[in-house]
Amino acid sequence: MTTAADLRAGYAAALTTPTAVAEAFLAARPTERPWQAFRSVDAEDVRAQARASTERLAAGTPAGPLEGVPVGVKDFVAVDGYRSHAGTRDLVAHGDVDALLVRRLRDAGAIIVGKLHCTELGLSPTGISGAQPTPVNPHSPTHLTGGSSSGTGAAVGAGLIPLGVGSDGGGSIRIPAALCGVFGIKPSWDLVPTDGEMSVGWWSVEHIGPLARCTEDLTTMLSVMADVPLAISEEPLRFGVDWSWWGRPDAEVDAACRAVVAELSAADISIPYVDLAMSAGYATALAEVVAGVWDVWQDTPDRFSTDVRATLGMSAHVTGADYVRAQQVRRVLAESFEAAFETVDVIVVPTTATAAPPRPSDAELDAGVVDLDMLDAMIAYTFPANLCGLPAASVPVGQTLDGRPIGLQLIGRRGADATVLSACAALERAGLAAAPVSSRQHDPFPVPTPTTHEE
């Protein structure tokens, strides 16, 4: 499958042009079945961006490291010419300006090809949406993509785009990365600006980051979004694992992730209070979301789907005392992780406790689904990084017998984003992590290039 690095090499060798790549993307019909990954694509705008990129390359004046690379943006983030809906039916933020991170992507030469589907208000980590079409898992159409950055995971995993923007308030980059078989990183708190993101809560836990098909692309895109040069190091890293936190994921997830850990010679560590992260995460995120949409929910509740109304109803019962206690848990949890990082550089744990869950019927999807066991399996390991502002990536480390991808999570000290990316790269070099290939994927950019990412 073509990566951004492949495209850059293809352009340099005059094997293709951004205009040809843009036409191939549009020909794939990314808003339609079998993908349903994009909510909106402005074809003429895509063509205009591609023409300008092709002209810059022909003149020998590329704008930056993402010149001519198609990038999709989650439906939470402002893009000039597009409306943002936060995955809802009709809540709208008009897009007459780009978010700062989008401006940075454009300045680096990226072609912004459209807005990607996500779950309603970003609430579902499964990928299910009762308000908009639920994207299709590129490795198994009978299973879910994960969420809430469902369209981003699906589009990058399917090969429709090499890079996509996601956001993560409790696992929403890492979960779809794991279930769709790609690389994704939730960066450190405040590394990537969130201005221009549609405000529906998630204020203290939300992070914006990239999804890609290899660590090199992930590093390039995050460097651009953050406007900070991030370099991969090949220096040895110290890995650690807290087996009590690891617990009992599904057998196939457990086996695949343990096999990688065995190759890393990971040290046994202990992270006190990590078992409280899920309850603290729920209390924090749900209270912030219900506060963010309170007036709309109270005045016109029918604007939300059935499952989201139920979630908001539960969220309204989170008391002020509950929220304050959750913040106390955050403080002691951050101290626990900081102590762990005195002896290790990277903490490893499965990204999710199960591979992609079964996809409900279309009728069930339209009605909305609330399955608490499924929700807990998706976010069993993801909330701590949000609560503590830690960089955390998911890398693909295998597949189940029926072909569903499995993700391993790599967590670093706050501010050590380059260390986490270096760990991702180390697993790739060792052959322990790679984006899987499926006959169901579609590669609209088959560029034969001399890069090291051909599959």
Side-chain angles (χ1 to χ4, degrees), residues 84-158:
S84 294
H85 304 82
T88 65
R89 292 190 185 95
D90 59 5
L91 296 186
V92 175
H94 292 280
D96 53 2
V97 295
D98 285 329
L100 175 56
L101 71 95
V102 175
R103 291 203 303 273
R104 289 174 176 174
L105 291 168
R106 289 194 198 272
D107 288 346
I111 300 173
I112 306 300
V113 295
K115 297 295 287 292
L116 291 152
H117 278 302
C118 60
T119 63
E120 193 171 6
L121 300 180
L123 282 171
S124 173
T126 65
I128 292 173
S129 178
Q132 293 294 321
T134 295
V136 176
N137 190 307
H139 295 274
S140 176
T142 60
H143 290 83
L144 293 167
T145 60
S148 66
S149 304
S150 49
T152 312
V156 176

Side-chain angles (χ1 to χ4, degrees), residues 15 20 32 35 46 76 82 107 110 138 142 145 155 175 190 204 206 220 264 274 283 327 331 342 396 454:
L15 295 173
E32 302 176 13
W35 319 114
V46 171
F76 264 67
Y82 290 85
D107 288 346
T142 60
T145 60
I175 295 167
D190 266 356
S204 74
E206 184 78 317
T220 301
L264 300 177
V274 73
Q327 308 323 298
R331 178 178 57 80
E342 292 299 317
E454 292 178 324

Side-chain angles (χ1 to χ4, degrees), residues 52 190 283 328 349:
D190 266 356
Q328 293 171 328
V349 70

Side-chain angles (χ1 to χ4, degrees), residues 233-318:
S233 169
E234 295 190 14
E235 291 295 316
L237 294 168
R238 301 169 299 167
F239 293 89
V241 59
D242 181 340
W243 292 110
S244 64
W245 180 25
W246 187 289
R248 297 177 62 85
D250 281 2
E252 289 182 286
V253 171
D254 189 42
C257 292
R258 281 179 183 267
V260 175
V261 170
E263 296 293 327
L264 300 177
S265 300
D268 290 354
I269 62 171
S270 176
I271 308 172
Y273 308 109
V274 73
D275 57 313
L276 300 178
M278 185 181 292
S279 58
Y282 271 132
T284 300
L286 293 180
E288 292 180 359
V289 171
V290 75
V293 298
W294 181 267
D295 290 342
V296 177
W297 177 52
Q298 292 294 299
D299 295 342
T300 53
D302 288 345
R303 295 177 74 176
F304 300 110
S305 59
T306 303
D307 57 332
V308 168
R309 290 201 301 272
T311 301
L312 293 174
M314 291 187 292
S315 303
H317 293 288
V318 178

Side-chain angles (χ1 to χ4, degrees), residues 191-239:
L191 180 66
V192 175
T194 57
D195 71 308
E197 185 178 34
M198 191 169 174
S199 180
V200 290
W202 302 103
W203 299 301
S204 74
V205 291
E206 184 78 317
H207 304 66
I208 299 178
L211 289 85
R213 294 189 57 80
C214 65
T215 306
E216 179 183 351
D217 285 358
L218 203 66
T219 304
T220 301
M221 186 172 177
L222 182 56
S223 296
V224 169
M225 293 168 69
D227 195 24
V228 173
L230 298 166
I232 293 173
S233 169
E234 295 190 14
E235 291 295 316
L237 294 168
R238 301 169 299 167
F239 293 89

